[in-house]
Amino acid sequence: MPAQRVSKSFKDLSMSFKFNPLSGDLITLKNENAIARAVRNIVSTTPGEKFFDPDFGSSVSEILFENVDDITAVSIEDEIKSSLKNYEPRVELIDVNVEPNFDENQFDVTISYRIVGIDIPPSQLEFALLPSR
């Protein structure tokens, strides 16, 4: 008998910590939005920032202070792949693309992934990474 894919529902709290005006509960993110926010949080969290899980996150913020070039882009790409593989079991990575943007002194990141357990088309998350202190 073949394995069946079980559909799941994912729910996370919004990082804005605003209240729903109708119910008075904290606003929640569901399914695609929850996963996208979790992926972004993993990439932007530095190891040691999360209490009781000092290894959680990625070292992307440290790599951002290197030169904006193709070699650094590959390092960022590898770090993102490794972090998402370790800390986000709800996604199956399709592709991670990091392009140096020399004019803006930043890296343009595109992460393509499938959400495990939900039958929807693959999702894509795009954002820019730039050094900040």
Side-chain angles (χ1 to χ4, degrees):
M1 180 150 103
Q4 290 183 343
R5 197 169 177 183
V6 178
S7 182
K8 298 179 181 180
S9 176
F10 301 108
K11 189 185 286 190
D12 289 339
L13 290 176
S14 171
M15 296 306 289
S16 69
F17 292 106
K18 293 183 180 177
F19 292 95
N20 182 326
L22 300 176
S23 67
D25 292 336
L26 287 174
I27 294 176
T28 58
L29 301 173
K30 296 179 183 172
N31 297 331
E32 300 90 19
N33 293 333
I35 302 289
R37 173 52 60 191
V39 167
R40 182 78 164 98
N41 284 341
I42 290 170
V43 172
S44 62
T45 301
T46 304
E49 273 188 275
K50 185 175 179 184
F51 293 121
F52 307 111
D53 192 356
D55 297 327
F56 180 85
S58 72
S59 300
V60 168
S61 60
E62 296 170 13
I63 301 170
L64 289 176
F65 289 98
E66 299 294 329
N67 293 329
V68 177
D69 59 14
D70 292 326
I71 295 171
T72 306
V74 170
S75 296
I76 291 171
E77 196 173 298
D78 291 343
E79 182 63 24
I80 290 172
K81 287 177 183 178
S82 173
S83 298
L84 292 178
K85 181 180 176 189
N86 290 331
Y87 298 110
E88 189 50 82
R90 301 177 292 181
V91 301
E92 175 188 322
L93 277 179
I94 298 171
D95 187 38
V96 176
N97 186 25
V98 179
E99 293 292 326
N101 184 336
F102 303 106
D103 295 335
E104 300 293 326
N105 194 35
Q106 67 185 24
F107 293 92
D108 298 325
V109 178
T110 304
I111 302 173
S112 301
Y113 57 89
R114 283 187 190 85
I115 299 174
V116 176
I118 298 179
D119 290 325
I120 59 171
S123 299
Q124 188 168 324
L125 181 63
E126 296 179 6
F127 55 92
L129 290 172
L130 47 131
S132 63
R133 296 222 179 238

